[in-house]
Amino acid sequence: SFRPLASISRADFAVILWRRAGGQSTPIANIVDLDPNRYYAEAISWAQQVGVMNGYGDGRFGPDDNITRGQVALMLCRYSRLVDLPVGTCS
């Protein structure tokens, strides 16, 4: 259902971008809090491997954490570089 005011998790946002990029099969990354059997495991692994999204500095990814606007902006900037869309500078 359409819920414009609902939060979205970091994992679900990774899944959106992964599917948009073609959803290619990706080896599951060794991330402390990533369950390799969850629907989002390949998407998170892909996002990390191609540099679209990083985890936290302590080895966690926080798949169930709500994504912040700042994280969305950074991921979209990095994703746009991945698909060769012209963008400014992003970290």
PDB file of all heavy atoms in Angstrom, residues 25-50:
ATOM      1  N   SER A  25      22.767 -11.140  -9.092  1.00  0.00           N
ATOM      2  CA  SER A  25      23.164 -11.994  -7.986  1.00  0.00           C
ATOM      3  C   SER A  25      24.515 -11.534  -7.445  1.00  0.00           C
ATOM      4  O   SER A  25      25.428 -11.244  -8.208  1.00  0.00           O
ATOM      5  CB  SER A  25      23.245 -13.445  -8.464  1.00  0.00           C
ATOM      6  OG  SER A  25      23.565 -14.283  -7.386  1.00  0.00           O
ATOM      7  N   THR A  26      24.616 -11.457  -6.147  1.00  0.00           N
ATOM      8  CA  THR A  26      25.810 -10.934  -5.487  1.00  0.00           C
ATOM      9  C   THR A  26      26.187 -11.843  -4.330  1.00  0.00           C
ATOM     10  O   THR A  26      25.315 -12.261  -3.573  1.00  0.00           O
ATOM     11  CB  THR A  26      25.516  -9.516  -4.936  1.00  0.00           C
ATOM     12  OG1 THR A  26      25.049  -8.698  -5.998  1.00  0.00           O
ATOM     13  CG2 THR A  26      26.737  -8.895  -4.318  1.00  0.00           C
ATOM     14  N   PRO A  27      27.465 -12.155  -4.178  1.00  0.00           N
ATOM     15  CA  PRO A  27      27.877 -12.926  -2.997  1.00  0.00           C
ATOM     16  C   PRO A  27      27.520 -12.161  -1.724  1.00  0.00           C
ATOM     17  O   PRO A  27      27.659 -10.935  -1.674  1.00  0.00           O
ATOM     18  CB  PRO A  27      29.395 -13.050  -3.139  1.00  0.00           C
ATOM     19  CG  PRO A  27      29.695 -12.730  -4.563  1.00  0.00           C
ATOM     20  CD  PRO A  27      28.595 -11.833  -5.051  1.00  0.00           C
ATOM     21  N   ILE A  28      27.058 -12.865  -0.724  1.00  0.00           N
ATOM     22  CA  ILE A  28      26.642 -12.235   0.526  1.00  0.00           C
ATOM     23  C   ILE A  28      27.869 -11.754   1.287  1.00  0.00           C
ATOM     24  O   ILE A  28      28.819 -12.497   1.517  1.00  0.00           O
ATOM     25  CB  ILE A  28      25.820 -13.208   1.396  1.00  0.00           C
ATOM     26  CG1 ILE A  28      24.612 -13.755   0.617  1.00  0.00           C
ATOM     27  CG2 ILE A  28      25.380 -12.540   2.697  1.00  0.00           C
ATOM     28  CD1 ILE A  28      23.662 -12.705   0.094  1.00  0.00           C
ATOM     29  N   ALA A  29      27.847 -10.491   1.667  1.00  0.00           N
ATOM     30  CA  ALA A  29      28.956  -9.873   2.393  1.00  0.00           C
ATOM     31  C   ALA A  29      28.997 -10.370   3.833  1.00  0.00           C
ATOM     32  O   ALA A  29      27.991 -10.798   4.395  1.00  0.00           O
ATOM     33  CB  ALA A  29      28.807  -8.354   2.366  1.00  0.00           C
ATOM     34  N   ASN A  30      30.164 -10.306   4.405  1.00  0.00           N
ATOM     35  CA  ASN A  30      30.340 -10.678   5.800  1.00  0.00           C
ATOM     36  C   ASN A  30      30.132  -9.438   6.667  1.00  0.00           C
ATOM     37  O   ASN A  30      31.058  -8.708   6.969  1.00  0.00           O
ATOM     38  CB  ASN A  30      31.747 -11.259   6.007  1.00  0.00           C
ATOM     39  CG  ASN A  30      31.922 -11.802   7.406  1.00  0.00           C
ATOM     40  OD1 ASN A  30      30.966 -12.019   8.123  1.00  0.00           O
ATOM     41  ND2 ASN A  30      33.168 -11.999   7.793  1.00  0.00           N
ATOM     42  N   ILE A  31      28.884  -9.206   7.023  1.00  0.00           N
ATOM     43  CA  ILE A  31      28.502  -8.055   7.842  1.00  0.00           C
ATOM     44  C   ILE A  31      27.924  -8.597   9.144  1.00  0.00           C
ATOM     45  O   ILE A  31      27.090  -9.510   9.124  1.00  0.00           O
ATOM     46  CB  ILE A  31      27.464  -7.174   7.104  1.00  0.00           C
ATOM     47  CG1 ILE A  31      28.050  -6.672   5.777  1.00  0.00           C
ATOM     48  CG2 ILE A  31      27.015  -6.020   7.980  1.00  0.00           C
ATOM     49  CD1 ILE A  31      27.048  -5.983   4.878  1.00  0.00           C
ATOM     50  N   VAL A  32      28.362  -8.052  10.243  1.00  0.00           N
ATOM     51  CA  VAL A  32      28.014  -8.564  11.568  1.00  0.00           C
ATOM     52  C   VAL A  32      26.518  -8.805  11.743  1.00  0.00           C
ATOM     53  O   VAL A  32      26.102  -9.871  12.193  1.00  0.00           O
ATOM     54  CB  VAL A  32      28.536  -7.611  12.672  1.00  0.00           C
ATOM     55  CG1 VAL A  32      28.065  -8.033  14.044  1.00  0.00           C
ATOM     56  CG2 VAL A  32      30.051  -7.527  12.622  1.00  0.00           C
ATOM     57  N   ASP A  33      25.685  -7.835  11.393  1.00  0.00           N
ATOM     58  CA  ASP A  33      24.244  -7.948  11.657  1.00  0.00           C
ATOM     59  C   ASP A  33      23.418  -8.264  10.402  1.00  0.00           C
ATOM     60  O   ASP A  33      22.227  -7.995  10.355  1.00  0.00           O
ATOM     61  CB  ASP A  33      23.718  -6.693  12.340  1.00  0.00           C
ATOM     62  CG  ASP A  33      23.943  -5.425  11.528  1.00  0.00           C
ATOM     63  OD1 ASP A  33      24.697  -5.468  10.544  1.00  0.00           O
ATOM     64  OD2 ASP A  33      23.365  -4.385  11.891  1.00  0.00           O
ATOM     65  N   LEU A  34      24.046  -8.863   9.407  1.00  0.00           N
ATOM     66  CA  LEU A  34      23.334  -9.234   8.178  1.00  0.00           C
ATOM     67  C   LEU A  34      23.023 -10.720   8.188  1.00  0.00           C
ATOM     68  O   LEU A  34      23.923 -11.553   8.175  1.00  0.00           O
ATOM     69  CB  LEU A  34      24.170  -8.882   6.948  1.00  0.00           C
ATOM     70  CG  LEU A  34      23.560  -9.242   5.595  1.00  0.00           C
ATOM     71  CD1 LEU A  34      22.246  -8.503   5.373  1.00  0.00           C
ATOM     72  CD2 LEU A  34      24.538  -8.935   4.474  1.00  0.00           C
ATOM     73  N   ASP A  35      21.732 -11.040   8.228  1.00  0.00           N
ATOM     74  CA  ASP A  35      21.288 -12.426   8.144  1.00  0.00           C
ATOM     75  C   ASP A  35      21.280 -12.821   6.673  1.00  0.00           C
ATOM     76  O   ASP A  35      20.507 -12.267   5.889  1.00  0.00           O
ATOM     77  CB  ASP A  35      19.888 -12.555   8.743  1.00  0.00           C
ATOM     78  CG  ASP A  35      19.314 -13.961   8.678  1.00  0.00           C
ATOM     79  OD1 ASP A  35      19.898 -14.836   8.002  1.00  0.00           O
ATOM     80  OD2 ASP A  35      18.261 -14.183   9.300  1.00  0.00           O
ATOM     81  N   PRO A  36      22.126 -13.768   6.264  1.00  0.00           N
ATOM     82  CA  PRO A  36      22.226 -14.126   4.847  1.00  0.00           C
ATOM     83  C   PRO A  36      20.953 -14.744   4.271  1.00  0.00           C
ATOM     84  O   PRO A  36      20.825 -14.875   3.056  1.00  0.00           O
ATOM     85  CB  PRO A  36      23.387 -15.117   4.798  1.00  0.00           C
ATOM     86  CG  PRO A  36      23.526 -15.636   6.179  1.00  0.00           C
ATOM     87  CD  PRO A  36      23.026 -14.552   7.098  1.00  0.00           C
ATOM     88  N   ASN A  37      20.011 -15.094   5.123  1.00  0.00           N
ATOM     89  CA  ASN A  37      18.765 -15.712   4.662  1.00  0.00           C
ATOM     90  C   ASN A  37      17.622 -14.724   4.490  1.00  0.00           C
ATOM     91  O   ASN A  37      16.537 -15.109   4.069  1.00  0.00           O
ATOM     92  CB  ASN A  37      18.337 -16.810   5.642  1.00  0.00           C
ATOM     93  CG  ASN A  37      19.378 -17.906   5.725  1.00  0.00           C
ATOM     94  OD1 ASN A  37      19.847 -18.404   4.715  1.00  0.00           O
ATOM     95  ND2 ASN A  37      19.764 -18.251   6.936  1.00  0.00           N
ATOM     96  N   ARG A  38      17.842 -13.451   4.803  1.00  0.00           N
ATOM     97  CA  ARG A  38      16.790 -12.446   4.672  1.00  0.00           C
ATOM     98  C   ARG A  38      16.686 -11.973   3.227  1.00  0.00           C
ATOM     99  O   ARG A  38      17.651 -12.033   2.467  1.00  0.00           O
ATOM    100  CB  ARG A  38      17.061 -11.251   5.583  1.00  0.00           C
ATOM    101  CG  ARG A  38      17.053 -11.558   7.077  1.00  0.00           C
ATOM    102  CD  ARG A  38      15.683 -11.966   7.611  1.00  0.00           C
ATOM    103  NE  ARG A  38      14.634 -11.031   7.308  1.00  0.00           N
ATOM    104  CZ  ARG A  38      14.199 -10.078   8.116  1.00  0.00           C
ATOM    105  NH1 ARG A  38      14.724  -9.921   9.303  1.00  0.00           N
ATOM    106  NH2 ARG A  38      13.231  -9.272   7.742  1.00  0.00           N
ATOM    107  N   TYR A  39      15.530 -11.479   2.844  1.00  0.00           N
ATOM    108  CA  TYR A  39      15.267 -11.055   1.471  1.00  0.00           C
ATOM    109  C   TYR A  39      16.202  -9.942   1.008  1.00  0.00           C
ATOM    110  O   TYR A  39      16.416  -9.761  -0.184  1.00  0.00           O
ATOM    111  CB  TYR A  39      13.807 -10.595   1.314  1.00  0.00           C
ATOM    112  CG  TYR A  39      13.496  -9.309   2.036  1.00  0.00           C
ATOM    113  CD1 TYR A  39      13.587  -8.092   1.370  1.00  0.00           C
ATOM    114  CD2 TYR A  39      13.133  -9.306   3.375  1.00  0.00           C
ATOM    115  CE1 TYR A  39      13.311  -6.899   2.034  1.00  0.00           C
ATOM    116  CE2 TYR A  39      12.860  -8.134   4.038  1.00  0.00           C
ATOM    117  CZ  TYR A  39      12.955  -6.938   3.369  1.00  0.00           C
ATOM    118  OH  TYR A  39      12.689  -5.761   4.024  1.00  0.00           O
ATOM    119  N   TYR A  40      16.755  -9.209   1.923  1.00  0.00           N
ATOM    120  CA  TYR A  40      17.576  -8.061   1.553  1.00  0.00           C
ATOM    121  C   TYR A  40      19.080  -8.342   1.551  1.00  0.00           C
ATOM    122  O   TYR A  40      19.874  -7.454   1.270  1.00  0.00           O
ATOM    123  CB  TYR A  40      17.290  -6.882   2.476  1.00  0.00           C
ATOM    124  CG  TYR A  40      17.360  -7.200   3.953  1.00  0.00           C
ATOM    125  CD1 TYR A  40      18.575  -7.510   4.567  1.00  0.00           C
ATOM    126  CD2 TYR A  40      16.228  -7.176   4.739  1.00  0.00           C
ATOM    127  CE1 TYR A  40      18.654  -7.792   5.919  1.00  0.00           C
ATOM    128  CE2 TYR A  40      16.292  -7.445   6.096  1.00  0.00           C
ATOM    129  CZ  TYR A  40      17.508  -7.757   6.678  1.00  0.00           C
ATOM    130  OH  TYR A  40      17.576  -8.037   8.012  1.00  0.00           O
ATOM    131  N   ALA A  41      19.502  -9.553   1.856  1.00  0.00           N
ATOM    132  CA  ALA A  41      20.934  -9.854   2.010  1.00  0.00           C
ATOM    133  C   ALA A  41      21.737  -9.558   0.742  1.00  0.00           C
ATOM    134  O   ALA A  41      22.800  -8.939   0.805  1.00  0.00           O
ATOM    135  CB  ALA A  41      21.133 -11.306   2.434  1.00  0.00           C
ATOM    136  N   GLU A  42      21.240  -9.983  -0.414  1.00  0.00           N
ATOM    137  CA  GLU A  42      21.969  -9.704  -1.661  1.00  0.00           C
ATOM    138  C   GLU A  42      21.996  -8.216  -1.975  1.00  0.00           C
ATOM    139  O   GLU A  42      23.007  -7.695  -2.443  1.00  0.00           O
ATOM    140  CB  GLU A  42      21.354 -10.461  -2.835  1.00  0.00           C
ATOM    141  CG  GLU A  42      21.825 -11.880  -2.953  1.00  0.00           C
ATOM    142  CD  GLU A  42      21.370 -12.516  -4.249  1.00  0.00           C
ATOM    143  OE1 GLU A  42      20.142 -12.564  -4.486  1.00  0.00           O
ATOM    144  OE2 GLU A  42      22.244 -12.945  -5.010  1.00  0.00           O
ATOM    145  N   ALA A  43      20.896  -7.530  -1.717  1.00  0.00           N
ATOM    146  CA  ALA A  43      20.823  -6.095  -2.009  1.00  0.00           C
ATOM    147  C   ALA A  43      21.815  -5.315  -1.164  1.00  0.00           C
ATOM    148  O   ALA A  43      22.513  -4.430  -1.669  1.00  0.00           O
ATOM    149  CB  ALA A  43      19.405  -5.586  -1.778  1.00  0.00           C
ATOM    150  N   ILE A  44      21.897  -5.626   0.113  1.00  0.00           N
ATOM    151  CA  ILE A  44      22.843  -4.942   0.992  1.00  0.00           C
ATOM    152  C   ILE A  44      24.267  -5.255   0.571  1.00  0.00           C
ATOM    153  O   ILE A  44      25.124  -4.376   0.519  1.00  0.00           O
ATOM    154  CB  ILE A  44      22.590  -5.311   2.459  1.00  0.00           C
ATOM    155  CG1 ILE A  44      21.287  -4.663   2.934  1.00  0.00           C
ATOM    156  CG2 ILE A  44      23.765  -4.911   3.345  1.00  0.00           C
ATOM    157  CD1 ILE A  44      20.851  -5.081   4.315  1.00  0.00           C
ATOM    158  N   SER A  45      24.523  -6.501   0.254  1.00  0.00           N
ATOM    159  CA  SER A  45      25.859  -6.901  -0.197  1.00  0.00           C
ATOM    160  C   SER A  45      26.232  -6.155  -1.466  1.00  0.00           C
ATOM    161  O   SER A  45      27.350  -5.639  -1.593  1.00  0.00           O
ATOM    162  CB  SER A  45      25.904  -8.412  -0.422  1.00  0.00           C
ATOM    163  OG  SER A  45      25.644  -9.097   0.782  1.00  0.00           O
ATOM    164  N   TRP A  46      25.304  -6.067  -2.408  1.00  0.00           N
ATOM    165  CA  TRP A  46      25.546  -5.330  -3.658  1.00  0.00           C
ATOM    166  C   TRP A  46      25.826  -3.862  -3.358  1.00  0.00           C
ATOM    167  O   TRP A  46      26.796  -3.297  -3.867  1.00  0.00           O
ATOM    168  CB  TRP A  46      24.333  -5.463  -4.578  1.00  0.00           C
ATOM    169  CG  TRP A  46      24.356  -4.494  -5.704  1.00  0.00           C
ATOM    170  CD1 TRP A  46      24.999  -4.643  -6.908  1.00  0.00           C
ATOM    171  CD2 TRP A  46      23.731  -3.206  -5.745  1.00  0.00           C
ATOM    172  NE1 TRP A  46      24.806  -3.527  -7.679  1.00  0.00           N
ATOM    173  CE2 TRP A  46      24.036  -2.632  -7.001  1.00  0.00           C
ATOM    174  CE3 TRP A  46      22.945  -2.486  -4.859  1.00  0.00           C
ATOM    175  CZ2 TRP A  46      23.570  -1.370  -7.369  1.00  0.00           C
ATOM    176  CZ3 TRP A  46      22.492  -1.235  -5.223  1.00  0.00           C
ATOM    177  CH2 TRP A  46      22.803  -0.685  -6.463  1.00  0.00           C
ATOM    178  N   ALA A  47      24.982  -3.241  -2.537  1.00  0.00           N
ATOM    179  CA  ALA A  47      25.131  -1.814  -2.230  1.00  0.00           C
ATOM    180  C   ALA A  47      26.492  -1.521  -1.618  1.00  0.00           C
ATOM    181  O   ALA A  47      27.128  -0.515  -1.940  1.00  0.00           O
ATOM    182  CB  ALA A  47      24.014  -1.350  -1.296  1.00  0.00           C
ATOM    183  N   GLN A  48      26.955  -2.411  -0.779  1.00  0.00           N
ATOM    184  CA  GLN A  48      28.254  -2.213  -0.154  1.00  0.00           C
ATOM    185  C   GLN A  48      29.390  -2.463  -1.159  1.00  0.00           C
ATOM    186  O   GLN A  48      30.346  -1.702  -1.227  1.00  0.00           O
ATOM    187  CB  GLN A  48      28.410  -3.113   1.055  1.00  0.00           C
ATOM    188  CG  GLN A  48      29.603  -2.748   1.910  1.00  0.00           C
ATOM    189  CD  GLN A  48      29.593  -3.480   3.211  1.00  0.00           C
ATOM    190  OE1 GLN A  48      29.541  -4.705   3.232  1.00  0.00           O
ATOM    191  NE2 GLN A  48      29.652  -2.752   4.311  1.00  0.00           N
ATOM    192  N   GLN A  49      29.254  -3.498  -1.970  1.00  0.00           N
ATOM    193  CA  GLN A  49      30.315  -3.853  -2.921  1.00  0.00           C
ATOM    194  C   GLN A  49      30.505  -2.811  -4.009  1.00  0.00           C
ATOM    195  O   GLN A  49      31.629  -2.574  -4.444  1.00  0.00           O
ATOM    196  CB  GLN A  49      30.039  -5.227  -3.525  1.00  0.00           C
ATOM    197  CG  GLN A  49      30.233  -6.347  -2.527  1.00  0.00           C
ATOM    198  CD  GLN A  49      29.731  -7.684  -3.036  1.00  0.00           C
ATOM    199  OE1 GLN A  49      29.513  -7.858  -4.233  1.00  0.00           O
ATOM    200  NE2 GLN A  49      29.550  -8.634  -2.142  1.00  0.00           N
ATOM    201  N   VAL A  50      29.441  -2.180  -4.458  1.00  0.00           N
ATOM    202  CA  VAL A  50      29.578  -1.177  -5.525  1.00  0.00           C
ATOM    203  C   VAL A  50      29.773   0.232  -4.978  1.00  0.00           C
ATOM    204  O   VAL A  50      29.908   1.182  -5.741  1.00  0.00           O
ATOM    205  CB  VAL A  50      28.377  -1.204  -6.510  1.00  0.00           C
ATOM    206  CG1 VAL A  50      28.274  -2.561  -7.193  1.00  0.00           C
ATOM    207  CG2 VAL A  50      27.085  -0.812  -5.830  1.00  0.00           C
TER     208      VAL A  50
END
